[in-house]
Amino acid sequence: MKILFVSENYFPNVSGVPVVVKYLAEGLYKKSYDVSIVTKSFQGEPVRDVINGVKVWRFQIYLNKFHRPKGRLNDYVDFVKNFGADIIIIECSQCITTDVLLPYLHEIPGKKIFHSHGFSGLELNFFQWRGDLLHTIGNTWNWIVSKWYFNYSLKRSMKYFDASLCLSEVDSSRIYLQRYVANSFILDNAADNIFFDHNVELGAIKKYTTLENNHYMVSCANYTVIKNQKNMILQYYKSQASKKISLICIGSYPTEYYRECCRYVDCLENKYGHRDVRLLYGIDRKDIPSIMKGASLYLVTSRYEQYSISIIEAMSQGVPFVSTNVGNARLLPGGQVIDNTNQLFTTIDQILANKELYENYSQLGRKFAYTHCRIEPTVEKLETIIQSVIKM
């Protein structure tokens, strides 16, 4: 069977969705399916590639400063239309690889599955302060655009999908997909197999930095306003634990927001005194389990999530988490959810001071991750869904 995943980003362009697409695609390849990925070009990566048996096709398509699709759009559309896949799995809404295809879905042969990863646009408010005037205006504009998108552009295209996938019962796309797609399924995210290796060794953090303290808290997320690292850093400085525990933030690459975080650390140093904050990027993926395992706590201050794989990764190592109430965090047993980031510093201190609570979170989180969040069962579930869709 020939399967094509359509994803805006793919390895080595790393973020949450490419991680999921990669293990699903490679898992299906190992089950003898003919699997390909079509994605947009990334830096100097080849137009055609093979990664762990999965064929990757990259097209020079992009959004200009007015967020209009540009580049080799016709070549991209023609490629998908003529690929001849038995199953096409289209990843995410409001991204160029999906939106360019919407007007042509009726011309694309094969069964089509929409994999949502949540609808962040549905959760926007007309006016919401986003830390500064520019981001606040941007939020309002995004609300207007999203209203049109979900009430017209995407809605009229849903009838061409044979099935849809969402991440959990609390996924923001769940009700929408059930309403407009005849067959809707839940497919949980999973953590990479490297997080379930019983031989994970401590100490990988020493490759990248020398900490001033014996213990540290960690957060893995790209440096963006949505991930809200600046507020995390502030809360860390306000905690009592910060005087003897380091804070490590790990992103994929240095963004403008990363530079804002660096400047913010300098300001907080003057206000609160010295703390050990390490803002890292470019960490080798294979070292993340070791860094996670060595942490005392895992922190999340995101303004928006759907299904945080990084929390699952932390739970797999027995590391309790503290997270804002986003996505499915409140359904996970391995840590504590807060309704306001201003509660973070007191929650950090409370968990670290309560050994019984800490150990309870550690054990429950590890058990849940091992039982529900491994790749093989997730791939098997997707295969079952694919087989059912083929028979429709």
Side-chain angles (χ1 to χ4, degrees):
M1 186 185 298
K2 199 172 182 181
I3 299 174
L4 177 65
F5 285 85
V6 178
S7 179
E8 183 175 43
N9 299 307
Y10 196 67
F11 273 56
N13 190 3
V14 181
S15 60
V17 173
V19 169
V20 173
V21 177
K22 187 172 186 290
Y23 71 65
L24 292 176
E26 292 178 5
L28 291 173
Y29 168 77
K30 291 175 182 177
K31 290 178 170 289
S32 300
Y33 291 91
D34 182 353
V35 185
S36 295
I37 309 286
V38 61
T39 186
K40 68 180 185 181
S41 58
F42 177 69
Q43 297 180 355
E45 294 300 313
V47 173
R48 184 176 179 180
D49 201 0
V50 178
I51 302 176
N52 296 333
V54 175
K55 288 166 277 193
V56 182
W57 311 78
R58 300 184 178 92
F59 283 83
Q60 189 71 36
I61 57 176
Y62 60 94
L63 297 177
N64 65 12
K65 63 180 180 180
F66 301 106
H67 285 255
R68 304 297 297 173
K70 295 293 181 180
R72 300 182 60 182
L73 302 176
N74 290 335
D75 291 343
Y76 166 69
V77 172
D78 288 343
F79 173 85
V80 177
K81 287 166 63 175
N82 298 314
F83 188 77
D86 300 293
I87 289 282
I88 299 172
I89 303 176
I90 297 180
E91 305 286 340
C92 299
S93 62
Q94 292 184 290
C95 62
I96 187 171
T97 44
T98 295
D99 295 347
V100 168
L101 291 178
L102 292 181
Y104 305 98
L105 289 178
H106 64 289
E107 301 177 28
I108 300 173
K111 300 287 188 177
K112 290 171 280 291
I113 299 174
F114 184 79
H115 193 181
S116 75
H117 299 272
F119 286 164
S120 59
L122 283 181
E123 299 189 84
L124 293 174
N125 295 316
F126 175 69
F127 180 84
Q128 187 172 18
W129 182 252
R130 290 296 192 181
D132 57 54
L133 184 60
L134 181 62
H135 286 107
T136 300
I137 293 173
N139 175 83
T140 302
W141 173 250
N142 289 336
W143 179 86
I144 295 170
V145 171
S146 294
K147 278 292 183 182
W148 172 264
Y149 181 84
F150 288 105
N151 290 330
Y152 179 69
S153 298
L154 186 63
K155 180 180 175 180
R156 68 177 181 175
S157 301
M158 285 288 97
K159 61 185 176 183
Y160 298 112
F161 286 101
D162 299 280
S164 66
L165 306 173
C166 63
L167 303 177
S168 72
E169 289 289 351
V170 297
D171 188 318
S172 59
S173 66
R174 179 71 170 150
I175 295 175
Y176 186 100
L177 294 175
Q178 287 178 317
R179 181 179 300 162
Y180 297 118
V181 183
N183 303 284
S184 183
F185 303 90
I186 292 175
L187 186 70
D188 293 272
N189 282 345
D192 194 294
N193 285 333
I194 60 176
F195 289 91
F196 298 99
D197 184 347
H198 294 286
N199 298 316
V200 172
E201 295 183 2
L202 296 173
I205 189 61
K206 295 178 182 178
K207 295 182 183 179
Y208 305 98
T209 189
T210 302
L211 300 177
E212 297 176 8
N213 300 301
N214 293 326
H215 303 282
Y216 61 87
M217 295 176 281
V218 69
S219 175
C220 292
N222 287 331
Y223 293 103
T224 67
V225 171
I226 296 298
K227 300 302 182 182
N228 197 22
Q229 283 96 339
K230 286 173 69 174
N231 211 334
M232 177 188 298
I233 294 167
L234 171 61
Q235 295 298 311
Y236 163 74
Y237 269 87
K238 293 170 70 173
S239 71
Q240 290 296 316
S242 65
K243 297 175 182 178
K244 54 185 178 181
I245 296 182
S246 302
L247 173 65
I248 300 172
C249 294
I250 299 174
S252 297
Y253 45 85
T255 62
E256 179 55 38
Y257 186 77
Y258 163 82
R259 287 180 275 275
E260 289 181 23
C261 290
C262 292
R263 293 191 291 269
Y264 194 49
V265 169
D266 292 337
C267 292
L268 294 175
E269 287 283 292
N270 293 329
K271 182 175 181 178
Y272 291 97
H274 177 63
R275 304 289 193 275
D276 188 29
V277 179
R278 306 300 169 114
L279 305 181
L280 307 180
Y281 57 87
I283 304 297
D284 193 320
R285 176 72 176 164
K286 70 175 186 293
D287 288 328
I288 297 297
S290 173
I291 295 172
M292 287 276 201
K293 186 175 182 178
S296 297
L297 279 179
Y298 186 78
L299 305 181
V300 177
T301 49
S302 295
R303 294 186 168 99
Y304 178 82
E305 294 279 355
Q306 281 296 331
Y307 195 120
S308 176
I309 297 177
S310 65
I311 290 181
I312 300 300
E313 293 169 350
M315 292 198 308
S316 74
Q317 303 306 307
V319 177
F321 69 84
V322 182
S323 173
T324 44
N325 189 8
V326 290
N328 71 324
R330 64 184 182 274
L331 304 180
L332 302 175
Q336 193 161 326
V337 169
I338 54 177
D339 292 319
N340 190 304
T341 50
N342 293 329
Q343 300 171 314
L344 181 61
F345 77 96
T346 54
T347 306
I348 288 172
D349 290 335
Q350 288 168 2
I351 293 177
L352 292 178
N354 190 329
K355 292 183 178 180
E356 183 178 351
L357 177 64
Y358 185 97
E359 189 60 29
N360 188 49
Y361 282 148
S362 176
Q363 292 180 7
L364 289 175
R366 182 186 282 114
K367 182 179 179 180
F368 183 92
Y370 271 77
T371 303
H372 299 284
C373 306
R374 305 190 71 169
I375 287 176
E376 282 191 13
T378 304
V379 173
E380 287 174 2
K381 184 173 182 179
L382 177 58
E383 182 182 28
T384 300
I385 292 170
I386 287 172
Q387 294 293 346
S388 68
V389 171
I390 285 291
K391 294 175 183 177
M392 291 176 183

